[in-house]
Structure formats: C-alpha cells, structure tokens
Amino acid sequence: MENELLIYNTLHRRKERFVPLHAPHVGMYVCGPTVYGDAHLGHARPAITFDILFRYLTHLGYKVRYVRNITDVGHLENDADEGEDKVAKKARLEQLEPMEVVQYYLNRYHKAMEALNVLSPSIEPHASGHIIEQIEFVQKILDAGYAYESEGSVYFDVEKYSKDHHYGVLSGRNIDDMLENTRELDGQSEKRRGADFALWKKAAPEHIMRWNSPWSVGFPGWHLECSAMGTKYLGEEFDIHGGGMDLIFPHHEAEIAQSCAGLGHDSVKYWMHNNMITINGQKMGKSLGNFITLDEFFTGNHKLLAQAYSPMTIRFFILQAHYRSTVDFSNEALQASEKGLERLLEGYARLQKLHAGKQSTVETAGLREKCEEAMCDDLNTPVVISHLFEALKAINLVHDGKETISQADLDELQSVFRLFVEEVLGLQTGESSASGLEAYKKAVDLLLNIRMDAKRNKDWATSDKIRNELTALGFDIKDTKDGFEWKL
C-alpha cells in the first residue's frame, strides 16, 4: 500500500514510521488487568485501543503475536513496594483462595471483552505462572550489578543504573530530582534509596502468595513480570509495548530499566500509550472509587447512568476519540454515541440492499484511500468514522431513488464498509445498538414486576419460578425496600 503506518512513540514523543524488527512478523505486548475486581470503563479503553492496532496490523498483512499479560501476584496497594497484595487482600476479605479470586474475575473480564468484540490475544500469560522466569531475570540484574539484596528482598539500584543509562527516558523525569526527594527515606527502610524498587520481596508471615527463591520465600515485584514474560514470548527485542498512560511511571519506566540492566540493551522499539477515561475530570479507576463497571453500563444499574448502554455503544464511544486524547464520561456523550452508531449501522444495512444502476451519479471514489490514510496516521479512528458518515449521504440518496450507483461502485462501497466497520473498527452489526438492549432490560424489569405482583398476592409458586429461572440464566436478583435490583 502507498501509505506508511505512522505511530506515536511515547519514548521519543513523536510519530514514527512503523518498521517491524522481523517483517512480516510483529511482536506486541500489552499490559492487561490486575484481576481482583470487575472490569470498568477504564479497562475497556486500552483493550479496544490495542484491539484496533492488532486488527489493523493484521489487515496490513503482518503476522502479529499479541501478548496481553494477567497480573495475579505482586501488585501491592497504591502501586508501591509495601502493603498488601491486591489479589491477596480480595481473597482475605472474601475468604477465598487467591487463584479463586483470579479465576472468577478473569472469567468476567473475558466475557466483557467478548461483548465489546475485543479479539483474544495470541498468548495471555499469568505472572503467577512465570515465577521461575522472574527469578532468573532478577539474577541477571544482580549479576550485572544493578540490584542488591537486603534482608531477603532484592531491589533495583536506580542511582547506579543511572550512572550508565538514562532512568526517566520514558516519563521525562529527572533522576537527580527523584533521588533528592527520596533521600529522607535513607536508613529508614531496607532500601538504599527511596527511588529504588522491588524486584523480589521477602514475604511477611501473613502473606499467603509466596514462592521459594535464592534470597527468601517471597514473591516478585509488580514491574518484573512484563520484562520476564515479554522476553519469554517475544524475544529480547520486540516491536510494540502498550498500555494506559498511567503505567508510564513507575511501571513502564521500571520495566525499561530492568530489561536494559538484565539484557544489556533496550527491548522495545515502539512504546504506545492510550489516554485516560475521566469522570468529572478525574481518572476513572478502582483506587479512586469513581469507576462504573462494564456490567453496570450494559445493564444500566448505576446511579450515574441514565440508561443501559450496549457494548457496541461503549466501543463506538471510545473509537470516536483519538486514543491519545482524554475522554470524559457523561450520559449525554454516550447517548450521542448511541444515536451515531445507530445511524451508521442503519446506513450500512441500507447499503446491503441497494440495487445497482447503469452508471453512478453519486461520488463514492476515494473512500478506501481516505480511511486507509486516517488509520495509517496513528490509528485516527475519529477521522475514519467521519469519512464513513460522509459516505452515508451517497447511500441515502441512492436508497431514496434520487441518485444511482454502478455495480462496480456499489461493490467497492460495500467492500470498504465491510472492511472498516466490521473488520477494522470491530463494530458488530447484529445488534440494534442500545435500542435492543433497552428492550431487553425492560423485558427483565417486566418479569420482575410480575414477580412482585405475585409476591403481593402470595402466589409463591409464580414468584419463586421467575426468580429461580432468571437466576439459572445468570441474573443476580436482590429484593430491596423499594422493589428490586438486578444485574447479569
């Protein structure tokens, strides 16, 4: 194709021509979720962003190995080196085994991703399944002289590394300022300096996730898993590493330092980061308690939601903004996306029913090239969508009998819409946007209202039958003083 794919490399802070290390093969690693709770809208954005990249690279003819990790150990509270493991804390509170928590929420995450039409990665490795690789990686860093052992834990020596390399290359942070701001911690912890980060932590007696290592019975640091698993599945050098921009520091900065220290060279050619979804100007996330889960979006069961929103409405909402721009949640914005998606899909359905004439009296040429050009310009999905909407004008004119289109132009138009609506943007056409979901929600509400009437009439057989059969289908139903609540 004529257009060259340009992607914004966070490392160099500029758009760069994409040239894979081993054409036609592309290695792509994306940081997946820490599985200790339901996926929320903030999880949907990186999943959809890198799903678009995966789809488009495949469309361009590359053979993509897409690795998306699952963090199920080592991610401590507040993204720090002290405190409780997030998964272990959830397990303790719910009196479950940690891997029971992981499996439950991972299953739910996969269902949410399937609903959003996010393609499965090529490999989905778990941090807990790669302890040996992480121990071996720690030893490489120790052997290179960029880490030290302290009281059974192993820490990365940021100051020593910075004498030979650039710590802060991704985030743009000044290492001298970081070291100066953390010197007050010197002597108050087992770290030499507050800026140092854990590669391996000795487990406290109450810590339930632990493994044997040469240094102690403990667990790996949060940052280490990506260096170890990226190397294992994509090699010591690979093309793309992605994630949300909240991971730039400390997670990805630490990962760059670890990999360079352990391997002797940089691993990643292109770093890509999507921006945040905010709510009232604040990042949406579990740590701030202001998140809305995807399940709540799909059912409408949240106080901030005016209605239910279909998975394709959520996907379209995210794709209407460039992946590097901030998106602020509001019901008005989602409702506008719902209407826009409905209009696009109605036009696409109308396109399938058009009949060709002898010649075209509408202008349809160049649509494929314009959409390709937008996608090659750092995955500019909003511009692709605008081109598709512009083409709807011609479709509607032909549909209304005001213009005609030749068979060749009709075939091309149908091909372009199929490519960009379904294959690249991943918009499923089988559902009627939120209108179908709203009808489904009203149907469930109707059944539960019939159940309430049965209870008031002491018709326990009907009441129990409705509840039991809905529960068997996967609905969680709770009676409240005002009536009922439900979720799927």
Side-chain angles (χ1 to χ4, degrees):
M1 59 178 296
E2 295 181 3
N3 293 318
E4 292 181 337
L5 175 59
L6 300 176
I7 60 176
Y8 186 88
N9 192 340
T10 311
L11 185 65
H12 300 139
R13 297 166 181 81
R14 64 173 181 254
K15 290 181 187 177
E16 296 181 356
R17 176 174 172 246
F18 178 69
V19 181
L21 288 165
H22 308 289
H25 299 274
V26 172
M28 183 169 83
Y29 189 102
V30 176
C31 287
T34 302
V35 280
Y36 67 100
D38 276 330
H40 54 73
L41 194 60
H43 289 119
R45 193 165 198 197
I48 290 172
T49 295
F50 292 101
D51 181 60
I52 293 293
L53 180 59
F54 184 27
R55 288 170 178 270
Y56 196 62
L57 287 171
T58 302
H59 160 67
L60 292 178
Y62 293 110
K63 297 177 181 178
V64 185
R65 177 176 287 178
Y66 174 16
V67 180
R68 184 181 67 201
N69 72 297
I70 298 297
T71 299
D72 55 3
V73 65
H75 196 172
L76 307 187
E77 295 174 292
N78 302 317
D79 299 346
D81 285 337
E82 303 295 335
E84 198 168 2
D85 185 292
K86 292 182 177 183
V87 171
K89 181 178 180 180
K90 187 76 171 180
R92 176 176 58 79
L93 293 174
E94 297 190 6
Q95 297 183 317
L96 298 169
E97 285 291 329
M99 290 303 112
E100 207 170 349
V101 170
V102 168
Q103 193 64 56
Y104 176 78
Y105 287 110
L106 184 57
N107 289 345
R108 293 174 67 82
Y109 175 78
H110 285 156
K111 285 183 180 178
M113 293 304 104
E114 184 179 354
L116 291 168
N117 199 27
V118 169
L119 300 176
S120 298
S122 314
I123 305 171
E124 194 173 54
H126 291 230
S128 64
H130 295 77
I131 300 298
I132 292 174
E133 290 87 349
Q134 293 179 78
I135 290 172
E136 290 173 348
F137 213 98
V138 173
Q139 190 60 57
K140 288 180 183 179
I141 299 172
L142 281 167
D143 292 344
Y146 294 114
Y148 58 90
E149 183 181 352
S150 177
E151 300 179 27
S153 295
V154 180
Y155 292 96
F156 190 86
D157 193 328
V158 169
E159 188 168 37
K160 185 171 183 182
Y161 174 82
S162 296
K163 290 177 181 177
D164 302 322
H165 306 280
H166 182 187
Y167 187 81
V169 64
L170 185 66
S171 62
R173 299 198 180 204
N174 187 302
I175 181 61
D176 294 328
D177 291 342
M178 279 190 279
L179 291 171
E180 187 62 35
N181 291 336
T182 57
R183 287 197 191 280
E184 61 187 50
L185 296 175
D186 290 358
Q188 297 181 28
S189 75
E190 58 193 35
K191 297 182 186 182
R192 291 177 184 170
R193 284 161 293 277
D196 296 346
F197 56 88
L199 299 172
W200 184 267
K201 285 286 292 180
K202 181 180 180 180
E206 66 276 9
H207 199 98
I208 57 179
M209 302 177 77
R210 51 174 65 212
W211 291 265
N212 291 324
S213 81
W215 315 287
S216 65
V217 175
F219 55 93
W222 169 37
H223 313 305
L224 187 64
E225 63 185 81
C226 293
S227 291
M229 294 191 291
T231 301
K232 178 178 176 68
Y233 294 110
L234 298 175
E236 290 193 1
E237 292 181 284
F238 58 92
D239 298 290
I240 298 169
H241 196 315
M245 67 177 296
D246 56 327
L247 296 176
I248 291 175
F249 189 89
H251 186 51
H252 288 163
E253 194 74 75
E255 189 182 336
I256 287 175
Q258 288 168 168
S259 296
C260 186
L263 302 173
H265 55 78
D266 293 330
S267 290
V268 179
K269 192 172 182 182
Y270 303 93
W271 286 88
M272 297 181 68
H273 294 88
N274 64 273
N275 215 319
M276 299 294 98
I277 290 183
T278 58
I279 180 166
N280 297 323
Q282 276 191 314
K283 172 195 165 187
M284 183 180 287
K286 287 190 176 72
S287 59
L288 296 174
N290 64 350
F291 64 93
I292 304 173
T293 70
L294 292 173
D295 188 62
E296 288 167 336
F297 273 105
F298 300 160
T299 61
N301 288 332
H302 192 282
K303 62 183 179 181
L304 294 178
L305 296 175
Q307 63 178 75
Y309 297 100
S310 76
M312 286 304 101
T313 296
I314 299 297
R315 187 176 178 101
F316 190 68
F317 169 67
I318 289 172
L319 294 178
Q320 281 184 296
H322 191 271
Y323 77 89
R324 287 192 289 109
S325 66
T326 304
V327 177
D328 198 55
F329 156 80
S330 71
N331 279 287
E332 293 75 17
L334 278 166
Q335 288 163 357
S337 293
E338 176 183 286
K339 290 177 182 177
L341 175 63
E342 204 159 327
R343 183 180 155 212
L344 178 64
L345 296 185
E346 283 176 357
Y348 183 34
R350 187 170 287 176
L351 173 61
Q352 310 309 312
K353 300 174 184 176
L354 293 186
H355 297 289
K358 292 182 179 179
Q359 62 181 13
S360 291
T361 60
V362 288
E363 182 59 52
T364 61
L367 179 61
R368 183 185 298 271
E369 291 75 17
K370 285 190 249 184
C371 290
E372 293 277 13
E373 183 180 1
M375 285 301 300
C376 284
D377 184 16
D378 198 27
L379 309 181
N380 204 328
T381 57
V383 172
V384 173
I385 290 169
S386 71
H387 289 322
L388 294 174
F389 272 112
E390 186 66 25
L392 290 183
K393 295 177 183 178
I395 293 170
N396 290 331
L397 286 171
V398 175
H399 175 268
D400 295 340
K402 297 177 181 178
E403 303 284 354
T404 60
I405 188 169
S406 70
Q407 188 64 58
D409 286 345
L410 178 58
D411 290 344
E412 170 66 2
L413 197 57
Q414 289 175 339
S415 173
V416 172
F417 262 75
R418 186 179 309 110
L419 170 62
F420 286 97
V421 173
E422 296 192 50
E423 295 177 25
V424 174
L425 298 182
L427 296 170
Q428 292 176 315
T429 59
E431 68 179 84
S432 177
S433 190
S435 57
L437 190 66
E438 189 64 22
Y440 147 79
K441 180 175 179 290
K442 288 178 180 178
V444 177
D445 286 343
L446 176 63
L447 276 173
L448 291 175
N449 279 316
I450 292 172
R451 175 177 171 268
M452 294 297 293
D453 289 341
K455 285 179 66 177
R456 280 190 287 270
N457 295 328
K458 297 184 179 180
D459 182 359
W460 309 121
T462 300
S463 170
D464 291 346
K465 180 178 175 61
I466 293 172
R467 181 187 184 98
N468 292 342
E469 294 199 9
L470 285 175
T471 299
L473 290 171
F475 290 88
D476 181 12
I477 301 163
K478 293 181 180 178
D479 291 324
T480 67
K481 63 179 181 179
D482 299 319
F484 56 81
E485 293 177 353
W486 64 269
K487 63 180 181 179
L488 185 61

